[in-house]
Amino acid sequence: MIGFWLVAAALTALALLPLLRTLLRPPPPLEGAAEFARGVYAAQVAEIERDLKRGILSDDQARAARAEVGRRLLSVADEAAGVKVEALAKPAQRTALVLTLLLPLAALGVYLPLGQPNLPAVPFATRPPEAPVPPQVMEAVAKLEAALKDNPDDVGAWGLLAQTYGAMSRPADAVNAWRQVLRLSPGNGSVQGALAEALTVAADGVVGEEAVRLFTEAVAADPMDARARYYLGMARIQAGDIRGALDRWTALVADSPADAPWLPTVRARIHDAATQVGLDPIAITPSPKPASAPSPAAAPGSGGAAPALSPEQMQAMAGMSQQDQQATINSMVDGLQAKLKDNPGDADGWMRLARAREVQGNLDAARDALRGAVKADPKRLQAWLDLSRLTAPDDAQTQGSAEFLDAMAKVLDLAPDNPQALYYLGQQAANEGKNDRARDLWGRLLKQLPADAPQRPELQRRMDSLK
């Protein structure tokens, strides 16, 4: 940051230098100007005499012309005698001083409220051209917005609208739509990441305080969330913590499969950041994991959700009645379930099916889909979190089911600081008389809770009651 202001000051000085040299250069002496004028007028008098001899001018005309030249010559002589060169130089010096002080201050006054020196450079030539939005998409969006006015709790429609707004380069509208999705599915790490990314886009690439909080919560829900980890590194860069950004990005490379689509972007960021602090990018960049099929929902810039419908599909569905729309969606979801029977190892497909069934209100089917997801990928944290959420007891004081507690145990293995897992597994240990285990788990949870958290007194009381 200091380097930026030094460079800015140097460039300002270079811009002012030609102007100052011109203003501070002493004016030519008036004596020299008078001598030049005398020479001009002497030449004019000689020309008058030649014209008189050639008969071009009469005696009276020549006499009048000589008198006019003499009058002008006397005027120049009087001006040169009455003005001092030193006095004439002072106004230019004052002007130069005023410009030297006021121009940089005026530029700084304009820049401070508008400038953002921490933003990464985006050369104009590399910016993708904005494609016009097809009319059928605009029509479909308008119908979708109208439908949401009548049914504001349709989380699937809000998600589709949020993704569409993002594709249409309407970041502020995308933020509002993702807020509605998060309202209807609180605690969903994927949605938190999507909202945080939309906030970042709306802020012209600045990862603000709210976005940092949401990305942090997304990583807490899924430590392998590549998008959130990438943007948290960007937040450190913008805060001037280059080494902190390098730590996050190199760890992301080490945790990513070799064919992950985000690796080129992350490696380029590592190269630029390492060069700034004098490190060898090749030496500090770790090798990724063996190639696999990464989840597209975890990629930076993916939006964190299933792909949006094509414009043709949106247009077709926008023209349907609500009953026909629901029938079409049900058919698509049933088709996905049929495909998963033939390909049960598709963890991404099971996750999409679980979200769709939950939106439909079929929680039993959603739980079945999540069971398929954790079977296909036992290390997928988000699947275990969703399964525990859909099997959680209604009352936090109630002993959870065996499936819920098993899910919480898996969550704790994958995310040792997960607050829900620490609480419920601590409660299970207390119910079973394993007081040391309960105190350990609840003690770890207390360290995470803010000092003014309303849960602290009750949790402390329960810990103190353990014998």
Side-chain angles (χ1 to χ4, degrees), residues 291-379:
S292 63
S295 168
S302 68
L309 296 178
S310 67
E312 292 77 13
Q313 289 173 314
M314 287 181 60
Q315 184 184 26
M317 291 190 66
M320 296 178 183
S321 65
Q322 187 171 359
Q323 292 79 6
D324 290 341
Q325 286 182 5
Q326 191 59 51
T328 301
I329 293 173
N330 291 341
S331 176
M332 294 170 64
V333 174
D334 291 341
L336 175 60
Q337 184 169 357
K339 291 180 181 179
L340 288 170
K341 290 182 178 179
D342 298 329
N343 185 20
D346 183 3
D348 292 335
W350 285 116
M351 292 293 290
R352 289 196 298 272
L353 180 61
R355 287 194 293 268
R357 293 303 190 197
E358 186 175 359
V359 169
Q360 291 176 328
N362 191 343
L363 298 186
D364 289 337
R367 283 187 281 266
D368 287 339
L370 289 170
R371 294 179 186 116
V374 297
K375 184 176 181 180
D377 185 0
K379 293 186 178 181

Side-chain angles (χ1 to χ4, degrees), residues 5-18 20 99-100 103-105 107-108:
W5 291 114
L6 291 175
V7 171
L11 292 176
T12 303
L14 288 175
L16 288 173
L17 185 59
L20 294 178
L99 288 175
T100 302
L103 283 181
L105 291 176
L108 189 63

Side-chain angles (χ1 to χ4, degrees), residues 199-256:
L199 286 166
T200 302
V201 174
D204 294 327
V206 176
V207 188
E209 183 177 342
E210 183 182 8
V212 169
R213 177 179 60 79
L214 288 167
F215 280 132
T216 303
E217 292 175 359
V219 171
D222 181 5
M224 301 305 294
D225 188 330
R227 173 185 51 195
R229 295 170 66 181
Y230 168 80
Y231 278 111
L232 287 174
M234 288 299 302
R236 298 317 309 155
I237 281 285
Q238 293 168 7
D241 182 9
I242 297 178
R243 291 186 179 271
L246 286 172
D247 289 343
R248 285 164 173 78
W249 286 336
T250 54
L252 175 56
V253 171
D255 291 338
S256 301

Side-chain angles (χ1 to χ4, degrees), residues 32 49 58 77 95 110 112 142 204 256 291 346 361 385 413 452:
E49 295 298 330
S58 65
T95 302
V110 173
L112 287 178
D204 294 327
S256 301
D346 183 3
L385 286 168
D413 287 341
D452 57 349

Side-chain angles (χ1 to χ4, degrees), residues 42-335:
Q44 290 179 350
V45 170
E47 183 68 19
I48 291 171
E49 295 298 330
R50 285 193 297 271
D51 290 342
L52 179 62
K53 289 180 180 180
R54 291 197 300 267
I56 297 176
L57 296 175
S58 65
D59 290 339
D60 292 337
Q61 290 174 329
R63 192 180 304 109
R66 291 192 201 97
E68 176 62 22
V69 170
R71 185 187 65 78
R72 294 180 182 176
L73 185 60
L74 289 174
S75 175
V76 171
D78 290 341
E79 182 179 9
V83 180
K84 293 183 179 180
V85 173
E86 293 78 8
L88 291 175
K90 290 181 180 179
Q93 292 174 349
R94 289 195 295 269
T95 302
L97 180 61
V98 170
L99 288 175
T100 302
L101 294 176
L102 290 186
L103 283 181
L105 291 176
L108 189 63
V110 173
Y111 180 83
L112 287 178
L114 300 176
Q116 294 176 344
N118 288 325
L119 283 181
V122 182
F124 184 83
T126 65
R127 301 177 189 176
E130 294 186 4
V133 179
Q136 62 267 31
V137 174
M138 296 298 296
E139 181 181 354
V141 168
K143 291 182 178 180
L144 190 57
E145 290 171 338
L148 282 167
K149 289 182 180 179
D150 298 329
N151 185 16
D153 292 336
D154 186 344
V155 65
W158 278 117
L160 175 60
L161 188 61
Q163 295 173 72
T164 307
Y165 281 149
M168 293 169 63
S169 298
R170 294 171 57 179
D173 292 328
V175 167
N176 293 332
W178 280 121
R179 290 193 190 281
Q180 295 299 322
V181 179
L182 189 59
R183 173 180 67 84
L184 297 168
S185 53
N188 187 311
S190 179
V191 176
Q192 289 171 326
L195 172 56
E197 186 174 40
L199 286 166
T200 302
V201 174
D204 294 327
V206 176
V207 188
E209 183 177 342
E210 183 182 8
V212 169
R213 177 179 60 79
L214 288 167
F215 280 132
T216 303
E217 292 175 359
V219 171
D222 181 5
M224 301 305 294
D225 188 330
R227 173 185 51 195
R229 295 170 66 181
Y230 168 80
Y231 278 111
L232 287 174
M234 288 299 302
R236 298 317 309 155
I237 281 285
Q238 293 168 7
D241 182 9
I242 297 178
R243 291 186 179 271
L246 286 172
D247 289 343
R248 285 164 173 78
W249 286 336
T250 54
L252 175 56
V253 171
D255 291 338
S256 301
D259 56 348
W262 57 84
L263 274 182
T265 299
V266 179
R267 283 174 171 150
R269 293 294 187 188
I270 291 174
H271 181 276
D272 294 342
T275 303
Q276 292 183 52
V277 293
L279 297 177
D280 181 359
I282 298 177
I284 67 170
T285 303
S287 299
K289 293 181 178 180
S292 63
S295 168
S302 68
L309 296 178
S310 67
E312 292 77 13
Q313 289 173 314
M314 287 181 60
Q315 184 184 26
M317 291 190 66
M320 296 178 183
S321 65
Q322 187 171 359
Q323 292 79 6
D324 290 341
Q325 286 182 5
Q326 191 59 51
T328 301
I329 293 173
N330 291 341
S331 176
M332 294 170 64
V333 174
D334 291 341

